Amino acid sequence: MSTVAANAPGAAGGGLQDVAASEASLRRFLHGLPGVDAVGLEARAASLGTRSIKTTAKAYAIDLAISMIDLTTLEGADTVGKVRALCTKARNPDPSDPSAPRVAAICVYPDMVATAKAALAGTDIQVASVATAFPAGRAALPVKLADVADAVAAGADEIDMVIDRGAFLSGRYLSVFEEITAVKEACRRADGTHAHLKVIFETGELQTYDNVRRASWLAMLAGADFIKTSTGKVAVNATPPVTLLMLEAVRDFKRQTGIQIGVKPAGGIKTTKDAMKYLVMVNETLGDDWLSPDWFRFGASSLLNDLLMQRQKLTTGRYSGPDYVTVD
């Protein structure tokens, strides 16, 4: 038995202790998961998307959505100044209204972690960092682990890793499993605590809903704290059906193991209407336990601006101009 597999946090309960004992046992488990009814999944996601949220409930939902945002800048042209400006916005999203909630986290590349930590000092806003050769994930494992260790040493509270989609799609599940557990160990700090680990599937490249379900269980078994749809760097990112499928996976995982896992859709969620659909989906699938930044996040850059404009509309009765909020 692999030492890493045997000690994986997620495999410790619910009769799942031996799932990752070998490639064969892991394959048997993942391919034994119920097949996804694609028509039913898409119909359910579409139905939940028609629910409306009005007046007081809408105001609450807007503030909740703001508090769940991982405000993100992941561009080659990122500068210290841009990251500091984004941190200022995270601390005070609406300078004209101090009652506006802060976002959950700032998400940056590892070399910008120290800058973000300094800019957010004295707040509870988390600093998340992408790692493991984001977004392609095409690097040797020692390089990926060094990437993670550097971000954690710089003060990252959360690490967003990408799985090796090539290994997953070719059926090398144990390799993916062991890489996740190795990254989880690299998230360990000197005091024994861990940076939270979000595992990105890049669902737009996984080809089938069955693969999304398998990837979800694989990551949770390996010790993911969050499972995340996408990098935001491919043509197809978060979608309601894929997110619903992942929500169902974390629900079923908790029922079997007692372990609660977070979910983060990322990429392509740009409007308040979009965010409301996802919040309804979380509420209907998982209930109040997941309606918190501790367990649900939006990976977004432009979403915050639309939420702030809608919030202003509820307060003043009129829409603000396009220059009301800062451009990220």
Side-chain angles (χ1 to χ4, degrees), residues 125-156:
I125 300 169
Q126 303 292 287
V127 174
S129 180
V130 296
T132 65
F134 177 96
R138 301 254 55 93
L141 182 57
V143 175
K144 293 181 179 182
L145 297 181
D147 200 22
V148 174
D150 284 349
V152 173

PDB file of all heavy atoms in Angstrom, residues 125-156:
ATOM      1  N   ILE A 125      -9.413  38.926   5.608  1.00  0.00           N
ATOM      2  CA  ILE A 125      -9.435  38.527   4.201  1.00  0.00           C
ATOM      3  C   ILE A 125      -8.281  37.563   3.942  1.00  0.00           C
ATOM      4  O   ILE A 125      -7.131  37.849   4.275  1.00  0.00           O
ATOM      5  CB  ILE A 125      -9.325  39.759   3.277  1.00  0.00           C
ATOM      6  CG1 ILE A 125     -10.493  40.721   3.532  1.00  0.00           C
ATOM      7  CG2 ILE A 125      -9.293  39.330   1.818  1.00  0.00           C
ATOM      8  CD1 ILE A 125     -10.326  42.068   2.859  1.00  0.00           C
ATOM      9  N   GLN A 126      -8.605  36.434   3.347  1.00  0.00           N
ATOM     10  CA  GLN A 126      -7.601  35.414   3.090  1.00  0.00           C
ATOM     11  C   GLN A 126      -6.777  35.745   1.845  1.00  0.00           C
ATOM     12  O   GLN A 126      -7.276  36.412   0.924  1.00  0.00           O
ATOM     13  CB  GLN A 126      -8.264  34.055   2.893  1.00  0.00           C
ATOM     14  CG  GLN A 126      -9.125  33.618   4.077  1.00  0.00           C
ATOM     15  CD  GLN A 126      -8.308  33.312   5.307  1.00  0.00           C
ATOM     16  OE1 GLN A 126      -7.632  32.295   5.385  1.00  0.00           O
ATOM     17  NE2 GLN A 126      -8.356  34.202   6.295  1.00  0.00           N
ATOM     18  N   VAL A 127      -5.543  35.277   1.823  1.00  0.00           N
ATOM     19  CA  VAL A 127      -4.733  35.372   0.611  1.00  0.00           C
ATOM     20  C   VAL A 127      -4.620  33.975   0.024  1.00  0.00           C
ATOM     21  O   VAL A 127      -4.079  33.057   0.655  1.00  0.00           O
ATOM     22  CB  VAL A 127      -3.335  35.941   0.897  1.00  0.00           C
ATOM     23  CG1 VAL A 127      -2.473  35.881  -0.372  1.00  0.00           C
ATOM     24  CG2 VAL A 127      -3.445  37.376   1.397  1.00  0.00           C
ATOM     25  N   ALA A 128      -5.184  33.814  -1.158  1.00  0.00           N
ATOM     26  CA  ALA A 128      -5.107  32.545  -1.878  1.00  0.00           C
ATOM     27  C   ALA A 128      -4.087  32.681  -2.994  1.00  0.00           C
ATOM     28  O   ALA A 128      -3.921  33.755  -3.567  1.00  0.00           O
ATOM     29  CB  ALA A 128      -6.471  32.173  -2.455  1.00  0.00           C
ATOM     30  N   SER A 129      -3.412  31.584  -3.284  1.00  0.00           N
ATOM     31  CA  SER A 129      -2.432  31.603  -4.366  1.00  0.00           C
ATOM     32  C   SER A 129      -2.595  30.365  -5.232  1.00  0.00           C
ATOM     33  O   SER A 129      -2.700  29.248  -4.717  1.00  0.00           O
ATOM     34  CB  SER A 129      -1.014  31.646  -3.805  1.00  0.00           C
ATOM     35  OG  SER A 129      -0.062  31.673  -4.858  1.00  0.00           O
ATOM     36  N   VAL A 130      -2.624  30.570  -6.538  1.00  0.00           N
ATOM     37  CA  VAL A 130      -2.576  29.434  -7.452  1.00  0.00           C
ATOM     38  C   VAL A 130      -1.152  28.877  -7.440  1.00  0.00           C
ATOM     39  O   VAL A 130      -0.189  29.603  -7.226  1.00  0.00           O
ATOM     40  CB  VAL A 130      -2.991  29.835  -8.876  1.00  0.00           C
ATOM     41  CG1 VAL A 130      -4.441  30.284  -8.919  1.00  0.00           C
ATOM     42  CG2 VAL A 130      -2.088  30.927  -9.441  1.00  0.00           C
ATOM     43  N   ALA A 131      -1.051  27.575  -7.655  1.00  0.00           N
ATOM     44  CA  ALA A 131       0.268  26.946  -7.633  1.00  0.00           C
ATOM     45  C   ALA A 131       0.234  25.698  -8.514  1.00  0.00           C
ATOM     46  O   ALA A 131      -0.705  25.492  -9.271  1.00  0.00           O
ATOM     47  CB  ALA A 131       0.673  26.599  -6.202  1.00  0.00           C
ATOM     48  N   THR A 132       1.273  24.896  -8.420  1.00  0.00           N
ATOM     49  CA  THR A 132       1.430  23.648  -9.195  1.00  0.00           C
ATOM     50  C   THR A 132       1.413  23.912 -10.694  1.00  0.00           C
ATOM     51  O   THR A 132       0.750  23.245 -11.454  1.00  0.00           O
ATOM     52  CB  THR A 132       0.359  22.589  -8.827  1.00  0.00           C
ATOM     53  OG1 THR A 132      -0.950  23.037  -9.184  1.00  0.00           O
ATOM     54  CG2 THR A 132       0.400  22.269  -7.347  1.00  0.00           C
ATOM     55  N   ALA A 133       2.187  24.908 -11.111  1.00  0.00           N
ATOM     56  CA  ALA A 133       2.322  25.258 -12.528  1.00  0.00           C
ATOM     57  C   ALA A 133       0.979  25.623 -13.152  1.00  0.00           C
ATOM     58  O   ALA A 133       0.666  25.228 -14.272  1.00  0.00           O
ATOM     59  CB  ALA A 133       2.990  24.133 -13.316  1.00  0.00           C
ATOM     60  N   PHE A 134       0.189  26.395 -12.414  1.00  0.00           N
ATOM     61  CA  PHE A 134      -1.084  26.920 -12.892  1.00  0.00           C
ATOM     62  C   PHE A 134      -0.865  27.695 -14.190  1.00  0.00           C
ATOM     63  O   PHE A 134       0.112  28.439 -14.303  1.00  0.00           O
ATOM     64  CB  PHE A 134      -1.661  27.839 -11.819  1.00  0.00           C
ATOM     65  CG  PHE A 134      -2.942  28.523 -12.176  1.00  0.00           C
ATOM     66  CD1 PHE A 134      -4.155  27.985 -11.792  1.00  0.00           C
ATOM     67  CD2 PHE A 134      -2.938  29.724 -12.871  1.00  0.00           C
ATOM     68  CE1 PHE A 134      -5.343  28.632 -12.106  1.00  0.00           C
ATOM     69  CE2 PHE A 134      -4.122  30.368 -13.187  1.00  0.00           C
ATOM     70  CZ  PHE A 134      -5.328  29.822 -12.802  1.00  0.00           C
ATOM     71  N   PRO A 135      -1.780  27.603 -15.188  1.00  0.00           N
ATOM     72  CA  PRO A 135      -3.005  26.816 -15.229  1.00  0.00           C
ATOM     73  C   PRO A 135      -2.859  25.438 -15.873  1.00  0.00           C
ATOM     74  O   PRO A 135      -3.745  24.609 -15.739  1.00  0.00           O
ATOM     75  CB  PRO A 135      -3.929  27.688 -16.064  1.00  0.00           C
ATOM     76  CG  PRO A 135      -3.008  28.338 -17.055  1.00  0.00           C
ATOM     77  CD  PRO A 135      -1.707  28.573 -16.314  1.00  0.00           C
ATOM     78  N   ALA A 136      -1.767  25.184 -16.578  1.00  0.00           N
ATOM     79  CA  ALA A 136      -1.667  23.926 -17.329  1.00  0.00           C
ATOM     80  C   ALA A 136      -1.329  22.743 -16.424  1.00  0.00           C
ATOM     81  O   ALA A 136      -1.706  21.607 -16.711  1.00  0.00           O
ATOM     82  CB  ALA A 136      -0.604  24.050 -18.439  1.00  0.00           C
ATOM     83  N   GLY A 137      -0.603  23.005 -15.352  1.00  0.00           N
ATOM     84  CA  GLY A 137      -0.185  21.911 -14.481  1.00  0.00           C
ATOM     85  C   GLY A 137       0.881  21.026 -15.080  1.00  0.00           C
ATOM     86  O   GLY A 137       1.118  19.910 -14.620  1.00  0.00           O
ATOM     87  N   ARG A 138       1.559  21.516 -16.083  1.00  0.00           N
ATOM     88  CA  ARG A 138       2.553  20.707 -16.789  1.00  0.00           C
ATOM     89  C   ARG A 138       3.947  21.017 -16.256  1.00  0.00           C
ATOM     90  O   ARG A 138       4.676  21.845 -16.783  1.00  0.00           O
ATOM     91  CB  ARG A 138       2.478  20.985 -18.297  1.00  0.00           C
ATOM     92  CG  ARG A 138       1.105  20.672 -18.883  1.00  0.00           C
ATOM     93  CD  ARG A 138       1.087  19.411 -19.710  1.00  0.00           C
ATOM     94  NE  ARG A 138       1.562  18.245 -19.019  1.00  0.00           N
ATOM     95  CZ  ARG A 138       0.767  17.400 -18.366  1.00  0.00           C
ATOM     96  NH1 ARG A 138      -0.510  17.613 -18.269  1.00  0.00           N
ATOM     97  NH2 ARG A 138       1.286  16.322 -17.800  1.00  0.00           N
ATOM     98  N   ALA A 139       4.268  20.359 -15.167  1.00  0.00           N
ATOM     99  CA  ALA A 139       5.600  20.491 -14.577  1.00  0.00           C
ATOM    100  C   ALA A 139       5.863  19.251 -13.751  1.00  0.00           C
ATOM    101  O   ALA A 139       4.940  18.533 -13.357  1.00  0.00           O
ATOM    102  CB  ALA A 139       5.690  21.748 -13.706  1.00  0.00           C
ATOM    103  N   ALA A 140       7.132  18.983 -13.493  1.00  0.00           N
ATOM    104  CA  ALA A 140       7.486  17.839 -12.650  1.00  0.00           C
ATOM    105  C   ALA A 140       7.003  18.079 -11.225  1.00  0.00           C
ATOM    106  O   ALA A 140       6.909  19.225 -10.768  1.00  0.00           O
ATOM    107  CB  ALA A 140       9.006  17.642 -12.663  1.00  0.00           C
ATOM    108  N   LEU A 141       6.708  17.003 -10.511  1.00  0.00           N
ATOM    109  CA  LEU A 141       6.166  17.122  -9.160  1.00  0.00           C
ATOM    110  C   LEU A 141       7.065  17.952  -8.239  1.00  0.00           C
ATOM    111  O   LEU A 141       6.547  18.794  -7.486  1.00  0.00           O
ATOM    112  CB  LEU A 141       5.904  15.739  -8.561  1.00  0.00           C
ATOM    113  CG  LEU A 141       5.293  15.723  -7.152  1.00  0.00           C
ATOM    114  CD1 LEU A 141       3.979  16.483  -7.112  1.00  0.00           C
ATOM    115  CD2 LEU A 141       5.106  14.284  -6.671  1.00  0.00           C
ATOM    116  N   PRO A 142       8.394  17.768  -8.240  1.00  0.00           N
ATOM    117  CA  PRO A 142       9.215  18.613  -7.352  1.00  0.00           C
ATOM    118  C   PRO A 142       9.061  20.106  -7.631  1.00  0.00           C
ATOM    119  O   PRO A 142       9.099  20.919  -6.705  1.00  0.00           O
ATOM    120  CB  PRO A 142      10.645  18.139  -7.641  1.00  0.00           C
ATOM    121  CG  PRO A 142      10.482  16.726  -8.117  1.00  0.00           C
ATOM    122  CD  PRO A 142       9.216  16.738  -8.918  1.00  0.00           C
ATOM    123  N   VAL A 143       8.868  20.454  -8.891  1.00  0.00           N
ATOM    124  CA  VAL A 143       8.656  21.861  -9.251  1.00  0.00           C
ATOM    125  C   VAL A 143       7.322  22.345  -8.689  1.00  0.00           C
ATOM    126  O   VAL A 143       7.212  23.448  -8.135  1.00  0.00           O
ATOM    127  CB  VAL A 143       8.703  22.043 -10.778  1.00  0.00           C
ATOM    128  CG1 VAL A 143       8.357  23.477 -11.160  1.00  0.00           C
ATOM    129  CG2 VAL A 143      10.081  21.661 -11.315  1.00  0.00           C
ATOM    130  N   LYS A 144       6.292  21.515  -8.827  1.00  0.00           N
ATOM    131  CA  LYS A 144       4.974  21.882  -8.310  1.00  0.00           C
ATOM    132  C   LYS A 144       5.014  22.057  -6.790  1.00  0.00           C
ATOM    133  O   LYS A 144       4.442  23.010  -6.242  1.00  0.00           O
ATOM    134  CB  LYS A 144       3.952  20.807  -8.677  1.00  0.00           C
ATOM    135  CG  LYS A 144       3.656  20.699 -10.161  1.00  0.00           C
ATOM    136  CD  LYS A 144       2.607  19.622 -10.422  1.00  0.00           C
ATOM    137  CE  LYS A 144       2.278  19.502 -11.900  1.00  0.00           C
ATOM    138  NZ  LYS A 144       1.231  18.499 -12.159  1.00  0.00           N
ATOM    139  N   LEU A 145       5.688  21.151  -6.105  1.00  0.00           N
ATOM    140  CA  LEU A 145       5.746  21.222  -4.647  1.00  0.00           C
ATOM    141  C   LEU A 145       6.545  22.434  -4.190  1.00  0.00           C
ATOM    142  O   LEU A 145       6.208  23.072  -3.182  1.00  0.00           O
ATOM    143  CB  LEU A 145       6.346  19.935  -4.080  1.00  0.00           C
ATOM    144  CG  LEU A 145       5.543  18.656  -4.345  1.00  0.00           C
ATOM    145  CD1 LEU A 145       6.232  17.455  -3.713  1.00  0.00           C
ATOM    146  CD2 LEU A 145       4.109  18.787  -3.846  1.00  0.00           C
ATOM    147  N   ALA A 146       7.597  22.778  -4.931  1.00  0.00           N
ATOM    148  CA  ALA A 146       8.362  23.982  -4.601  1.00  0.00           C
ATOM    149  C   ALA A 146       7.508  25.233  -4.791  1.00  0.00           C
ATOM    150  O   ALA A 146       7.589  26.184  -3.996  1.00  0.00           O
ATOM    151  CB  ALA A 146       9.614  24.054  -5.479  1.00  0.00           C
ATOM    152  N   ASP A 147       6.681  25.223  -5.834  1.00  0.00           N
ATOM    153  CA  ASP A 147       5.753  26.327  -6.106  1.00  0.00           C
ATOM    154  C   ASP A 147       4.815  26.526  -4.913  1.00  0.00           C
ATOM    155  O   ASP A 147       4.607  27.648  -4.434  1.00  0.00           O
ATOM    156  CB  ASP A 147       4.959  25.991  -7.365  1.00  0.00           C
ATOM    157  CG  ASP A 147       4.316  27.186  -8.033  1.00  0.00           C
ATOM    158  OD1 ASP A 147       4.772  28.319  -7.822  1.00  0.00           O
ATOM    159  OD2 ASP A 147       3.346  26.961  -8.797  1.00  0.00           O
ATOM    160  N   VAL A 148       4.271  25.408  -4.415  1.00  0.00           N
ATOM    161  CA  VAL A 148       3.368  25.465  -3.260  1.00  0.00           C
ATOM    162  C   VAL A 148       4.107  25.938  -2.018  1.00  0.00           C
ATOM    163  O   VAL A 148       3.643  26.832  -1.289  1.00  0.00           O
ATOM    164  CB  VAL A 148       2.735  24.080  -3.007  1.00  0.00           C
ATOM    165  CG1 VAL A 148       1.909  24.091  -1.723  1.00  0.00           C
ATOM    166  CG2 VAL A 148       1.872  23.655  -4.191  1.00  0.00           C
ATOM    167  N   ALA A 149       5.271  25.348  -1.753  1.00  0.00           N
ATOM    168  CA  ALA A 149       6.036  25.697  -0.552  1.00  0.00           C
ATOM    169  C   ALA A 149       6.406  27.172  -0.536  1.00  0.00           C
ATOM    170  O   ALA A 149       6.364  27.827   0.519  1.00  0.00           O
ATOM    171  CB  ALA A 149       7.280  24.826  -0.459  1.00  0.00           C
ATOM    172  N   ASP A 150       6.758  27.720  -1.695  1.00  0.00           N
ATOM    173  CA  ASP A 150       7.105  29.143  -1.775  1.00  0.00           C
ATOM    174  C   ASP A 150       5.909  30.015  -1.394  1.00  0.00           C
ATOM    175  O   ASP A 150       6.044  31.001  -0.666  1.00  0.00           O
ATOM    176  CB  ASP A 150       7.573  29.496  -3.191  1.00  0.00           C
ATOM    177  CG  ASP A 150       8.986  29.025  -3.476  1.00  0.00           C
ATOM    178  OD1 ASP A 150       9.681  28.611  -2.523  1.00  0.00           O
ATOM    179  OD2 ASP A 150       9.386  29.059  -4.660  1.00  0.00           O
ATOM    180  N   ALA A 151       4.723  29.649  -1.915  1.00  0.00           N
ATOM    181  CA  ALA A 151       3.516  30.435  -1.633  1.00  0.00           C
ATOM    182  C   ALA A 151       3.157  30.357  -0.156  1.00  0.00           C
ATOM    183  O   ALA A 151       2.797  31.365   0.472  1.00  0.00           O
ATOM    184  CB  ALA A 151       2.352  29.941  -2.497  1.00  0.00           C
ATOM    185  N   VAL A 152       3.255  29.157   0.423  1.00  0.00           N
ATOM    186  CA  VAL A 152       2.938  28.992   1.845  1.00  0.00           C
ATOM    187  C   VAL A 152       3.941  29.762   2.706  1.00  0.00           C
ATOM    188  O   VAL A 152       3.570  30.438   3.671  1.00  0.00           O
ATOM    189  CB  VAL A 152       2.905  27.501   2.223  1.00  0.00           C
ATOM    190  CG1 VAL A 152       2.745  27.326   3.742  1.00  0.00           C
ATOM    191  CG2 VAL A 152       1.769  26.791   1.485  1.00  0.00           C
ATOM    192  N   ALA A 153       5.208  29.688   2.351  1.00  0.00           N
ATOM    193  CA  ALA A 153       6.236  30.407   3.115  1.00  0.00           C
ATOM    194  C   ALA A 153       6.026  31.913   3.053  1.00  0.00           C
ATOM    195  O   ALA A 153       6.353  32.633   4.006  1.00  0.00           O
ATOM    196  CB  ALA A 153       7.621  30.043   2.587  1.00  0.00           C
ATOM    197  N   ALA A 154       5.473  32.393   1.932  1.00  0.00           N
ATOM    198  CA  ALA A 154       5.212  33.827   1.788  1.00  0.00           C
ATOM    199  C   ALA A 154       3.968  34.262   2.554  1.00  0.00           C
ATOM    200  O   ALA A 154       3.701  35.464   2.650  1.00  0.00           O
ATOM    201  CB  ALA A 154       5.070  34.184   0.309  1.00  0.00           C
ATOM    202  N   GLY A 155       3.207  33.287   3.058  1.00  0.00           N
ATOM    203  CA  GLY A 155       2.053  33.622   3.889  1.00  0.00           C
ATOM    204  C   GLY A 155       0.702  33.266   3.313  1.00  0.00           C
ATOM    205  O   GLY A 155      -0.329  33.685   3.863  1.00  0.00           O
ATOM    206  N   ALA A 156       0.660  32.499   2.232  1.00  0.00           N
ATOM    207  CA  ALA A 156      -0.624  32.141   1.637  1.00  0.00           C
ATOM    208  C   ALA A 156      -1.494  31.380   2.632  1.00  0.00           C
ATOM    209  O   ALA A 156      -1.034  30.446   3.294  1.00  0.00           O
ATOM    210  CB  ALA A 156      -0.414  31.297   0.380  1.00  0.00           C
TER     211      ALA A 156
END
